[in-house]
Amino acid sequence: MVMNGFETIKVVADTQMLPFDCGNTELNGFLFNDAKTHLKERIAVTYLIIGEGRTVAYWSYLNDKISVSDMNGNRESFIKRIASRLGHEIKDKEYESFPAVKIGRLGVGKEYAGSGIGSHIINHTKTLFVSEGSSSGCRFITVDAFKESIPFYRKNGFEFMSGRDRKSETRQMYCDLLQM
Ligand SMILES: CC(C)(COP(=O)(O)OP(=O)(O)OC[C@H]1O[C@@H](n2cnc3c(N)ncnc32)[C@H](O)[C@@H]1OP(=O)(O)O)[C@@H](O)C(=O)NCCC(=O)NCCS
């Protein structure tokens, strides 16, 4: 992903982390304390946009799925919201889940917030996981969105998974990679 002369790199064991502050202590902490451990343990892979001597933004990917249990076990909701996107009839017991990629963390440096970088990362993800060269099937993007970032995800085509987390600090959201 190329952006305004910034560089995108994958975090590896000896990546030197440049300063980063997105205004959220937990997200800042993940980058400096956990990103490399998650890579080593194959839990998540983290990418950075770097430039101007700092980390401009970062995000991480891990494998996920959307299941009937994400809809409170309600198969009717699962079929209506998720399975119906296939555009053909779904038989009983067919498709208990669909493959997804989760954006585990996403943060844009305070200095760069609101300039389109977050949306660019979402669009890049959409292109990456539906490309014909992809090595595995993946139909959805999922996120656990902090309340403050919900307008950002809505703007980028994400919907709520269910109403059960309506009052939580984070809400499960998803986006169909084939309906961009
Ligand atoms: C939320 C975030 C990833 C959005 O990235 P971004 O590059 O700022 O967003 P874009 O410029 O592509 O999109 C702009 C939209 O994002 C939202 N947004 C912009 N600045 C934001 C901020 N500081 N915090 C939350 N949302 C913000 C607004 O809805 C905005 O739409 P508008 O311009 O119509 O009002 C980024 O602001 C951020 O890292 N915030 C702090 C950490 C966070 O909440 N991360 C999400 C974890 S789930």
Side-chain angles (χ1 to χ4, degrees), residues 69-104:
S69 59
D70 290 312
M71 315 270 143
N72 269 339
N74 185 333
R75 186 160 171 85
E76 213 175 296
S77 298
F78 176 73
I79 290 176
K80 198 165 139 203
R81 291 187 199 167
I82 307 294
S84 64
R85 288 163 190 274
L86 295 186
H88 58 77
E89 207 185 317
I90 308 298
K91 293 185 204 120
D92 252 6
K93 304 244 163 84
E94 198 184 16
Y95 296 112
E96 287 294 314
S97 67
F98 285 93
V101 58
K102 182 167 207 156
I103 301 181

Side-chain angles (χ1 to χ4, degrees), residues 100-166:
V101 58
K102 182 167 207 156
I103 301 181
R105 301 280 193 295
L106 166 61
V108 174
K110 280 199 281 195
E111 306 85 345
Y112 304 94
S115 53
I117 295 175
S119 302
H120 194 80
I121 292 167
I122 300 290
N123 289 332
H124 167 73
T125 304
K126 289 175 178 173
T127 311
L128 193 65
F129 285 91
V130 288
S131 79
E132 297 210 345
S134 288
S135 305
S136 68
C138 180
R139 178 66 192 243
F140 296 94
I141 306 177
T142 59
V143 294
D144 293 332
F146 287 131
K147 263 193 183 140
E148 315 79 76
S149 62
I150 287 172
F152 163 76
Y153 286 111
R154 299 283 316 205
K155 210 178 141 185
N156 280 286
F158 283 72
E159 294 171 42
F160 296 115
M161 199 83 80
S162 76
R164 71 178 171 180
D165 54 4
R166 199 177 289 117

